[in-house]
Amino acid sequence: MADTLENKSIPAAQETHFQPVPYESLTGFDTAGLHNLEFMLGSKDKVFSTLKHFIIDFNGIVDEIKTSFHAQQKEVARRKLHSLKGTAAIVGANTLSILAAEIEAQVFISENIDHQLTDLNVAWQTVNNTVSTMSVSYTHLRAHETLMN
C-alpha cells in the first residue's frame, strides 16, 4: 500500500516550530531601522544577509582605527570611522553609528580616544554577537523550512 501524507508521522526532532527571528530581539539594532531596511531590500533574508556581510566587512575595524590613530594617521582613522558610522546607520546599528560619529568628531582635536574606542568596541561586540547568534537561529529556521517543503 502506498504511503499517503496522512499516514506519515513527523519525527519529534522535526516537530519543533521555529519562529522567524524577530527584529525586536536583535540587541544593538534599531527595530524601525531593520524594518525600513527590509522594505528597501524586499525580504528578511536579504536583511540578514546584509547584516552578515556588515560583520564580515567591518571585522577588526576598531583595532584598525586605534592603530591608525596611534600611528598619527588621523585622516585614515577618520575615514574608517566615517565608513563605520554610515554603514552602521544603514543597517540599524544606531548606537554603533552614534559612537563612531562622536569619535570621528574628536579625531583631530583629541590626543587620546582610547576610552571612546573602548565604548565603540563594546558596541561592536554587541552587534557582532547579535548577528552571530541571529545567523545560527536563522540558519536553523531556513533548514527546518527546507525540510518541511
Side-chain angles (χ1 to χ4, degrees), residues 36-55:
N36 288 338
L37 189 59
E38 182 178 342
F39 178 76
M40 289 187 296
L41 296 176
S43 74
K44 194 172 250 192
D45 282 339
K46 289 180 181 174
V47 170
F48 289 147
S49 177
T50 299
L51 295 179
K52 286 190 279 185
H53 284 285
F54 170 68
I55 294 302

Side-chain angles (χ1 to χ4, degrees), residues 25-130:
S25 70
L26 300 180
T27 306
F29 289 91
D30 174 63
T31 302
L34 291 171
H35 283 289
N36 288 338
L37 189 59
E38 182 178 342
F39 178 76
M40 289 187 296
L41 296 176
S43 74
K44 194 172 250 192
D45 282 339
K46 289 180 181 174
V47 170
F48 289 147
S49 177
T50 299
L51 295 179
K52 286 190 279 185
H53 284 285
F54 170 68
I55 294 302
I56 292 166
D57 292 346
F58 284 90
N59 189 33
I61 190 72
V62 177
D63 289 335
E64 292 174 19
I65 293 165
K66 185 174 185 175
T67 299
S68 297
F69 184 83
H70 289 295
Q72 297 301 311
Q73 297 174 334
K74 292 184 177 185
E75 181 58 28
V76 172
R78 190 203 61 77
R79 283 195 313 263
K80 289 178 183 292
L81 284 158
H82 187 78
S83 294
L84 178 61
K85 172 187 72 174
T87 308
I90 290 168
V91 299
N94 291 351
T95 300
L96 188 61
S97 177
I98 290 166
L99 288 169
E102 290 171 357
I103 299 168
E104 181 185 15
Q106 295 294 312
V107 165
F108 290 108
I109 58 176
S110 293
E111 291 300 317
N112 189 338
I113 59 170
D114 287 343
H115 179 71
Q116 293 95 327
L117 287 174
T118 298
D119 293 344
L120 186 68
N121 192 51
V122 169
W124 170 258
Q125 290 304 321
T126 298
V127 167
N128 187 17
N129 292 340
T130 296

Side-chain angles (χ1 to χ4, degrees), residues 8-17 144 147-148:
K8 289 187 177 184
S9 64
I10 298 172
Q14 291 182 5
E15 287 179 7
T16 304
H17 294 285
H144 177 74
L147 283 174
M148 297 308 291

